[in-house]
């Protein structure tokens, strides 16, 4: 069964410090992976997806198949980065569509 | 933001009462999903739909039913609400079924069962 693990419930860093939010997955095959962000009491927004290999708001994530990881990184944290971050693994469903298996989330708090 | 509207945004009700949550989309997307969000669990899929009148169960479907009579509307019903169903409920949509297609989420409904 596929699984997504985010080991840290809370990550607190100072403004300007580097950030790394950890995500490990369990999946047989070549995975697609997403990072979603949820600012306080707002809807989840797609932040990054593995296939596009782009940088959004200064965040990047590299898929490491050997370590089965998809860690989210940013070199210099900003106060506005404070949010809940979810790593998600899609799985094709019977009838089409895909189910997202989410990690439990990491709350990032950027302190001044 | 994708055109997804959830209603109501907040609801407080009593154990044993029926509750229906509505998700309305203006994107004409084929696939729609209902998730619940709970601390320590992330988001978990309740039910999903792959077309009008085509629905299937997710991983936490017990106590929930859904209906989709139109492309734009996906209803989630708690036939007899229990306190364990207190949660934040999110609707999501996607256009195609391929694995690399992300889902877009609504603003959520905060439901409290007393």
């Amino acid at each position: 069964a596929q699984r997504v693990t985010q080991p840290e419930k809370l990550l607190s860093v100072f403004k300007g410090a580097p950030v790394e939010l950890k995500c490990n997955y369990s999946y047989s095959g070549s995975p697609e992976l997403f990072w979603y962000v949820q600012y306080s009491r707002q809807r989840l927004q797609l932040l990054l997806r593995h296939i596009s290999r782009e940088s959004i708001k200064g965040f990047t994530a590299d898929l490491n198949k050997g370590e089965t990881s998809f860690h989210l990184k940013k070199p210099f944290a900003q106060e506005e980065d404070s949010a809940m971050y979810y790593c998600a693994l899609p799985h094709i469903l019977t009838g089409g569509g895909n189910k997202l298996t989410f990690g439990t989330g990491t709350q990032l708090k950027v302190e001044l | 933001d994708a055109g997804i509207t959830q209603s109501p945004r907040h609801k407080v009700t009593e154990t044993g009462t029926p509750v229906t949550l509505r998700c309305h989309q203006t994107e004409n997307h084929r696939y729609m999903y209902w998730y619940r969000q709970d601390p320590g669990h992330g988001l978990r899929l309740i039910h999903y739909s792959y077309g009008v009148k085509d629905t299937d169960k997710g991983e936490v479907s017990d106590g929930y039913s859904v209906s989709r009579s139109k492309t734009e509307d996906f209803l989630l019903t708690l036939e007899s609400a229990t306190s364990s169903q207190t949660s934040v409920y999110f609707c999501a949509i996607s256009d195609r079924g391929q694995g690399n297609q992300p889902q877009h989420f609504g603003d959520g409904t905060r439901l409290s069962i007393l």
Side-chain angles (χ1 to χ4, degrees), chain A residues 36 38 43 86 92 94 98, chain B residues 31 37 48 97 100 103 106-107:
Chain A
Y36 280 86
Q38 186 181 28
R43 64 175 65 184
Y86 290 99
I92 301 295
T94 304
N98 59 58
Chain B
Y31 302 98
Q37 182 185 40
Y48 68 99
N100 59 4
Q103 295 175 16
D107 288 323

Side-chain angles (χ1 to χ4, degrees), chain B:
Chain B
D1 285 349
I4 308 168
T5 305
Q6 290 186 234
S7 59
R9 294 293 314 280
H10 304 272
K11 188 173 181 65
V12 180
T13 191
E14 295 182 345
T15 301
T17 59
V19 178
T20 295
L21 308 183
R22 179 178 182 241
C23 178
H24 177 78
Q25 59 140 333
T26 57
E27 306 292 328
N28 200 35
H29 284 188
R30 179 178 177 183
Y31 302 98
M32 298 185 76
Y33 313 83
W34 277 108
Y35 291 87
R36 59 178 289 174
Q37 182 185 40
D38 302 290
H41 291 277
L43 281 84
R44 292 176 292 174
L45 182 67
I46 304 171
H47 281 280
Y48 68 99
S49 171
Y50 47 96
V52 173
K53 295 189 181 350
D54 291 323
T55 65
D56 208 344
K57 297 179 179 180
E59 61 184 299
V60 290
S61 59
D62 287 349
Y64 302 95
S65 62
V66 290
S67 65
R68 192 170 178 200
S69 59
K70 297 185 290 186
T71 298
E72 57 266 36
D73 289 324
F74 192 33
L75 303 181
L76 176 71
T77 298
L78 291 65
E79 300 290 347
S80 178
T82 67
S83 58
S84 64
Q85 294 175 311
T86 292
S87 187
V88 181
Y89 292 84
F90 285 96
C91 175
I93 63 174
S94 68
D95 192 19
R96 291 182 292 275
Q98 291 92 331
N100 59 4
Q101 187 68 18
Q103 295 175 16
H104 301 282
F105 287 81
D107 288 323
T109 294
R110 192 170 293 270
L111 179 62
S112 296
I113 315 292
L114 305 179

Side-chain angles (χ1 to χ4, degrees), chain A residues 39-40 78-85 107-110:
Chain A
Y39 300 102
S40 181
Q78 302 299 314
E79 192 179 358
E80 57 265 28
D81 296 329
S82 295
M84 178 70 87
Y85 292 81
Q107 180 71 46
L108 175 65
K109 182 178 180 182
V110 180

